[in-house]
Structures are given as structure tokens and as C-alpha cells.
Amino acid sequence: MDMNPIYELRGRLRAAAIAGTSLLSEDFRLKRAAEAMKPLEASSPVFAKIGQLMNALLSSDCSNPSGALLDTITLVDAVICTLGSVDLAEDVQPVEMVQNAKSIVVNAPHSELKNLLDALTTSGSGHYNFVYNAHQTNPELFQDYRIKYALIQALGATYSELADLVETWLKKEDESILVLLMRDFDPKGKKEMVRRVHVIESIAGAQANDFYLKMLETAQKEIRQALIRALHNEPENIELLLDMTKSEKGKNKQMAIRSLADIEDQRSYEFFHNMAEKKPQEVLGYIQMVSTDWASKLLTEMFYKALAEIENPSEIDNPSANEETRRVFINILASFIGKGGEDICACYRKLVGTKEGNIWERYQEMLRCKEIKEMMRMFQVDILSPEQYRRKEPNRCFENEIGMILQNSLVVRSDKSLQALALELYEARTGIAKTNVNFLAAALTAKLVNGEPCAAWLKEQVSEKANNNNEYKKAAMDALSFIHWDSDKDSYMLRGFYHYLLNYEEDSLVERPIEIADSEELIAWLMTGEDRKMDSILSELVQTKDKEQCSRVGEYLYRRALVTTEDHYGYWMFLKKCGWTTCKGLGVRFVKCRQRNLSQWELYRMDELPGDDAAIREELQTIVELMKSGEIKLKNINLNWFENWVDERL
């Protein structure tokens, strides 16, 4: 509706008031403004009332023109006031809003928001640290709709580390952010659009399938690859993906095959089964990070085929004749992660020599092959390292790695058959010295993912093995290190990777919620360890919303930090996670332990101490006094310089 006529009428009425009511009958501009109001009179009673007042005012027999003019001006001004119009000299810019957002505007100083907006939307040095620190100290600012829109823009930041960081944060948002991610999406754009696809897929999954298909029509380069990868979320895309394996080229084709590998369908099995006949190594690269049933079936077939060739003595006699077979076999072991079912369990039993024979003897012969040793060194991990070759327990080394693969598999996939297998292998070796420790991590993980109480059981397993306590404790810590408390989700999370031997890739990460039935008992047991690794895991298990628990664990970690001789920063971080606010003695302990080699850079990190600025200032002042008394002697730090630095900080 055009509101200009009422503004024109107000201007003419005010001019009439200045000129005087005696000239009303001659004011043709006022009459024209009144005529322009006619269309509005039918739309609202208040506009109709204005029309009536104007008719009375312009009537030749109006008995009180001054009063009528005043009444008309008053009503017109009141109506314009309710319209709330604001005149601006420049063009009005539309405000970008996030629909259905939990929070629209955050009550924060303009200076804080402006600096954060500038850091997210402009280039310059120090922006990464500023944004990261703001997210750590004032996460509520990132709920403001203006910051959310700026985060979308920051996906295209010239400093890629900042763009990657923002992508990680946006993946944790809810569906309300999708409207901004999809708006103005350019399928021919740059890296920013690739990150948008990653975030959309992470939040919406199959719900955004229409968007993926629409953008694919004109998408190019990396954006096209990201969209093809996103198609795996919707199983109905399988025919399209099969067609793409024929029509697409290069990396686009590779992405189509990777997406196909994620879909649980007989047609996927047939595709990769045919490929495995000629390109087994390539197939393993595709199915390594999937947990489909057909992938378990195919991997089982490949396992027995490779094993038959390895167990053939003629192959061992001539290792160079079939080095590829041995490489395939090693990668098959790595690909066991995430695979389940009874057939896979049979493969594990075959590997460790229970129920169905073993391959240890043949495997030892493999280890004597120079080519295999060199191949294993390429992995740059502990599995079957050169040091282990020289030990006289190659069987145990190999079995230990199988146990770790089984444990990793339980982390990324809840499979009842694998859980039962882990407990079976652990219990079967209980009477064999130093061998069941190889499967303790897997057995503990099986209990955890099944929601069983495990603190008492774990304490018993470790305490009963007094002669090998460290080995059993280390195995237990290996299992618990996959768990952490997520305050945003208000849940314990189990985090693992499909990759064990091969290179890390982002989408190999798997994170899922887990319920620990006796978390309090487990935490209490960890607090008896007086062990750096146990302390680290303890800090990850603290439920940050449980103030009583945080206080109890914080008190223990504070006591540990006061006596530690190493990793002081680590303990400071543990204490901060518990919400600990006291740093008395921590800085002094750190300086005393490092006084011979303490550097200025290490001193600057004193800001990382737990507690507020006042507490940190007090601790620094204590260090100054101890330096003056001679109790602390810093070899590389001048007292006057340190005192001046503390004064400046104070």
C-alpha cells in the first residue's frame, strides 16, 4: 500500500496552519492532497475518519475551521506515528535473519560485536586468534544472528585455518542455519562453497538431497566433488551414482565410487566385487571407511583369498614374486575396522589361532622378507615395528595389533558379535601369561559400548596382574582414551577413526554417544592412579555441569599439579576444564621445576594458569618475592626484567 499520500497531506495541513484558515478555500494543493487520500479511505476506518475531517475542513459552511484544522492535523500525526517510518538519506540494506533461531540478538556491547564481525568478514593479521579466543571466552556472542551471518562469510576467509575452524563450528549448528548456507549458493564458486556443502551435509544429511541434485546441474570442480560425495546420504541415489561411475572422470568418478561404498545395497556389493578381481588394493581404499554388511562380506572373501596365497610356501620362497599380495593382506587387516558379523569374527579367530587354526608360523616367515619389513616401516606406526622383530615374542606382537584393530572396530561400530568376540578372546587367554592383555582394551570397550558397569571389573583386572600392572593399566587407558564428555550434548561421546594403518582423512572420524553406567566409580578409580595418563583421561570424563564432581576432581588434579615435574601446562588445562579457580602454588612449582632452562616465552604462558586475573597476578608476585629472596634462581631470566614484566601485567 502506498503511504505517500498521508505524508503529503500532513505537509499541506501544516502549511495551511502557517498561512491561516482564511486561505483554505484557495489552497488547491491541500485539495489535491485530500483527493489523493481517497484510495486509502476504503482500506481502513482511521483513513476514512481523516477523509471525513478533510471534507468538513474544506466545506464552505465549516463553522470552526481553526478547530477542524487542528483536529485533522492531530489525527494525521498520530497515524503517521503508528506507521513508524524513518527517513534515511542512504539506501536501506535488508537485514539477514536466521529463521527459527534459538537466539536472535545477544545482549552484548557494540564494541565486542563490531570487533568480532570485522575479524570474521575482513582480512588481516591476528584475526584467527581473536575469533578463536572470543569463541572460548564468550561463546554466547556466536548465537547473535549477525555473527551467524558473518560466520557464513568467513567460510571464504583468505586465511584457510580460520575458514576451517568456522566450518567445524557451523557443523554443530541446528537446521536454522541452513537458510543462510543455501542462500546465494554458487555452484561455480570457490572453496567457500565447498565448505558450505560440507556444513549442509553435516547438518541436514539426506534432507538436503534435492539441494545437492539441483546444484549438481551446473556445479564444477571441487564443489561438484563435494556434492557427489553428499549423495551417499540418500540410498535412492544409487542408480545415479552407478551412472556417474561411467560418465564422470577423474576425482568426480572417485567421489561417486566413494559415495557408492557407503550405501547398503546388493548393487554396491556387485560393483566392488567385480572391481576386486582386478584392483583389490583400490577396493580396500574405498571400503576401509564403511560399515555396511556387504563390505564385511566382501572383505571376508578378500581375506581368505589373500591368506591362501600367503600360506602357500612357494610364495614365501619367492617374496618378490607376489609382494602385492602381501600388501593387500596388510591393508585387509586395517580394513577390518568397522566390519562386523560372524564371518568377520571367524577371520579374527583365524588370525589369532583359536578354534580354526593359526597363521603365526607363516606370518613369521613373511616378516623375514625384506620387502615386508620395508613396507611396514612406511606406515610409521608401532605395528610390527623393527624393534619388535628383534624380540622373541613375534606371536604376541602380532596378536597385540589384532587386539587393537578389534578394539578400534568396536569404537566405530556397535556390533554384538564383535563385542562377544572381544570378551571371548580376552577370557580364553586369562590363564596364559602376558597374552590376555592384548585383548583387554577390546574387552573393556565391549563392556562400555554395551552399557555395562565396568569400574569394578576393570579394577579387578588391573590389580590381579600385579607383576604386569603397567601393561594392563596401559591397555585400559588405551580403551578409555576414546571417551570424552561433551557438555553441549550433555553426554559421553565415543570417538574413533576408521584409519589404523593408513593416512588420516577427515571423514574417517566417527563420534557417537555412549552411556557409562558407573561413571562415578570409574572416575573414583582413576583418582587412585597417581598417574599422568590416568589424570588426562580423568579430565576428559569430568561432567562439567556437575559442580560437585568438578570440585572433587579439581581438588585431586590441583594436588597432582602441585607435585608434578612435567607437563605443567597440561595440568593447568585439566583444572580449567573442571572450572578450577585457584592457581596458588602452581606457578611457583612450574618455575622451580624449570628454573635452569626457563625461557621468556614460557613465562608468557603463565597466563594459562587457572583462575582469574587477580589470582594470576598474586601468583606472579609471589614468584618475584621468591626470586628476591634467592629461593628461586632463574638462569636465563633477569630479575629486574621479570619484575618489570610483572608490574606491566599488573
Side-chain angles (χ1 to χ4, degrees):
M1 182 182 297
D2 185 8
M3 293 291 120
N4 287 326
I6 194 169
Y7 292 104
E8 177 64 23
L9 179 62
R10 179 179 64 174
R12 299 319 312 161
L13 288 171
R14 289 180 176 179
I18 295 172
T21 56
S22 60
L23 299 176
L24 284 175
S25 59
E26 301 176 9
D27 193 343
F28 68 92
R29 292 185 179 85
L30 178 59
K31 293 179 181 179
R32 187 167 58 192
E35 286 296 323
M37 281 291 297
K38 295 296 183 182
L40 293 177
E41 293 177 16
S43 65
S44 171
V46 69
F47 289 144
K49 181 63 176 178
I50 292 175
Q52 294 174 10
L53 291 175
M54 285 300 301
N55 290 335
L57 177 64
L58 296 175
S59 174
S60 58
D61 57 353
C62 180
S63 59
N64 184 12
S66 297
L69 178 60
L70 182 60
D71 289 343
T72 306
I73 291 176
T74 301
L75 181 58
V76 169
D77 280 346
V79 170
I80 290 177
C81 182
T82 61
L83 292 176
S85 177
V86 177
D87 293 332
L88 294 175
E90 64 272 13
D91 293 336
V92 178
Q93 299 296 325
V95 176
E96 299 286 353
M97 298 290 289
V98 180
Q99 297 179 358
N100 303 320
K102 296 178 181 178
S103 177
I104 299 299
V105 178
V106 173
N107 185 17
H110 172 72
S111 57
E112 289 187 14
L113 287 179
K114 183 180 185 302
N115 291 336
L116 183 54
L117 286 169
D118 288 344
L120 287 169
T121 57
T122 61
S123 59
S125 61
H127 284 187
Y128 176 91
N129 288 333
F130 181 85
V131 172
Y132 176 80
N133 291 333
H135 194 271
Q136 292 292 106
T137 57
N138 298 298
E140 67 280 357
L141 296 179
F142 290 77
Q143 296 305 311
D144 192 290
Y145 74 91
R146 292 162 291 184
I147 300 299
K148 287 181 182 291
Y149 184 64
L151 287 171
I152 304 296
Q153 294 176 279
L155 290 174
T158 53
Y159 191 62
S160 61
E161 284 80 0
L162 176 58
D164 293 338
L165 180 67
V166 169
E167 179 183 333
T168 301
W169 291 340
L170 287 175
K171 286 179 178 179
K172 298 179 181 180
E173 293 287 336
D174 57 30
E175 294 181 356
S176 64
I177 199 74
L178 292 175
V179 63
L180 290 181
L181 291 163
M182 293 180 180
R183 180 179 299 163
D184 302 324
F185 186 89
D186 183 4
K188 298 180 181 179
K190 298 181 179 179
K191 184 67 175 179
E192 172 191 355
M193 299 300 157
V194 176
R195 295 190 178 96
R196 285 203 196 189
V197 175
H198 293 162
V199 177
I200 292 171
E201 182 186 1
S202 177
I203 297 173
Q207 297 178 19
N209 194 58
D210 290 342
F211 170 80
Y212 309 143
L213 295 174
K214 178 65 176 176
M215 295 300 106
L216 266 173
E217 294 175 2
T218 55
Q220 298 178 356
K221 298 181 180 179
E222 289 186 69
I223 302 175
R224 186 170 186 82
Q225 295 166 27
L227 289 166
I228 293 174
R229 185 73 184 100
L231 294 180
H232 80 274
N233 292 283
E234 175 52 68
E236 293 183 2
N237 290 330
I238 187 168
E239 286 294 344
L240 174 60
L241 289 170
L242 286 169
D243 290 339
M244 284 184 167
T245 62
K246 301 174 183 177
S247 61
E248 298 289 340
K249 305 295 182 183
K251 292 184 178 180
N252 293 345
K253 180 178 180 178
Q254 293 175 11
M255 282 298 178
I257 298 176
R258 286 184 64 184
S259 293
L260 190 63
D262 285 313
I263 298 179
E264 185 70 81
D265 193 287
Q266 177 64 20
R267 287 166 289 184
S268 294
Y269 166 76
E270 293 171 356
F271 177 88
F272 286 99
H273 181 271
N274 293 333
M275 183 188 293
E277 294 295 325
K278 296 181 179 179
K279 303 177 180 178
Q281 198 75 279
E282 188 173 335
V283 167
L284 290 170
Y286 286 119
I287 71 172
Q288 186 179 52
M289 294 185 293
V290 300
S291 295
T292 55
D293 291 338
W294 68 258
S296 297
K297 176 183 177 182
L298 178 59
L299 187 63
T300 301
E301 296 171 356
M302 297 178 71
F303 169 79
Y304 283 110
K305 179 180 179 181
L307 187 60
E309 297 179 11
I310 286 174
E311 290 182 319
N312 185 340
S314 63
E315 296 292 346
I316 297 298
D317 294 339
N318 185 15
S320 61
N322 204 352
E323 180 182 337
E324 181 65 18
T325 298
R326 295 171 173 79
R327 291 180 180 273
V328 169
F329 180 72
I330 298 299
N331 287 337
I332 286 174
L333 297 186
S335 300
F336 268 51
I337 297 178
K339 310 303 184 295
E342 290 300 331
D343 289 342
I344 288 291
C345 289
C347 294
Y348 278 106
R349 293 189 183 98
K350 181 74 172 178
L351 286 168
V352 300
T354 63
K355 294 188 178 181
E356 298 182 19
N358 68 71
I359 62 165
W360 284 349
E361 182 178 350
R362 305 309 300 163
Y363 200 85
Q364 289 179 63
E365 293 182 26
M366 285 175 58
L367 297 182
R368 298 190 188 105
C369 302
K370 180 180 178 181
E371 293 83 354
I372 299 300
K373 290 183 180 181
E374 293 299 324
M375 179 181 68
M376 299 308 295
R377 289 193 186 98
M378 291 193 304
F379 292 129
Q380 298 181 347
V381 292
D382 289 338
I383 181 170
L384 301 173
S385 63
E387 290 75 18
Q388 290 173 321
Y389 297 143
R390 291 191 288 271
R391 296 178 184 173
K392 296 182 179 180
E393 298 178 303
N395 293 358
R396 179 170 169 264
C397 294
F398 176 65
E399 188 176 84
N400 180 59
E401 301 307 327
I402 299 303
M404 293 181 68
I405 290 173
L406 176 57
Q407 189 258 335
N408 275 260
S409 194
L410 286 165
V411 170
V412 302
R413 173 174 178 165
S414 292
D415 185 274
K416 293 295 183 182
S417 60
L418 290 180
Q419 293 173 27
L421 176 68
L423 295 170
E424 170 195 322
L425 295 177
Y426 179 71
E427 293 168 1
R429 283 158 172 70
T430 300
I432 307 174
K434 292 187 178 183
T435 57
N436 67 340
V437 68
N438 297 326
F439 293 98
L440 175 57
L444 175 56
T445 303
K447 287 181 173 291
L448 287 168
V449 298
N450 199 35
E452 298 180 26
C454 60
W457 177 85
L458 180 57
K459 183 178 179 181
E460 180 183 353
Q461 305 311 304
V462 174
S463 61
E464 284 188 353
K465 315 296 186 301
N467 293 333
N468 305 300
N469 184 276
N470 289 335
E471 286 192 52
Y472 283 83
K473 185 183 292 186
K474 180 182 181 301
M477 296 308 104
D478 286 341
L480 294 176
S481 64
F482 286 86
I483 303 172
H484 70 99
W485 174 260
D486 190 318
S487 56
D488 294 332
K489 295 183 174 67
D490 198 25
S491 170
Y492 284 110
M493 302 297 292
L494 192 63
R495 176 187 294 170
F497 297 86
Y498 278 102
H499 281 281
Y500 180 64
L501 299 179
L502 304 184
N503 296 329
Y504 161 78
E505 290 186 25
E506 182 180 358
D507 58 1
S508 70
L509 172 65
V510 177
E511 190 174 48
R512 55 195 178 93
I514 183 176
E515 182 176 346
I516 302 180
D518 55 349
S519 59
E520 283 289 349
E521 291 82 354
L522 190 58
I523 286 174
W525 176 71
L526 287 168
M527 289 172 61
T528 65
E530 302 289 329
D531 177 86
R532 168 63 182 78
K533 180 64 175 178
M534 294 178 75
D535 293 344
S536 175
I537 291 173
L538 175 63
S539 72
E540 292 294 329
L541 297 185
V542 173
Q543 300 181 25
T544 52
K545 295 181 181 180
D546 187 334
K547 300 304 179 185
E548 190 278 329
Q549 186 184 88
C550 284
S551 176
R552 180 160 36 88
V553 174
E555 184 177 351
Y556 164 78
L557 290 174
Y558 178 57
R559 177 169 57 83
R560 290 278 296 143
L562 287 173
V563 298
T564 187
T565 58
E566 57 183 358
D567 195 26
H568 299 270
Y569 303 129
Y571 276 99
W572 299 352
M573 294 302 104
F574 299 163
L575 288 166
K576 283 186 175 182
K577 191 172 293 186
C578 295
W580 194 254
T581 58
T582 301
C583 63
K584 184 176 178 59
L586 297 180
V588 173
R589 176 65 179 174
F590 167 66
V591 173
K592 284 185 174 181
C593 290
R594 294 284 301 154
Q595 56 185 326
R596 286 183 173 274
N597 301 304
L598 191 68
S599 66
Q600 291 185 13
W601 177 79
E602 288 178 300
L603 279 178
Y604 296 148
R605 291 193 65 181
M606 299 281 277
D607 284 337
E608 298 177 20
L609 282 164
D612 56 20
D613 284 343
I616 296 175
R617 285 196 295 268
E618 183 178 350
E619 186 68 5
L620 290 174
Q621 194 62 50
T622 300
I623 295 173
V624 171
E625 297 303 321
L626 291 174
M627 290 177 66
K628 289 181 177 179
S629 68
E631 184 174 340
I632 291 179
K633 297 179 181 179
L634 300 182
K635 181 179 179 181
N636 301 321
I637 304 296
N638 179 272
L639 173 60
N640 291 332
W641 176 89
F642 182 68
E643 189 172 11
N644 290 334
W645 176 74
V646 172
D647 289 339
E648 291 176 3
R649 193 188 184 288
L650 296 176

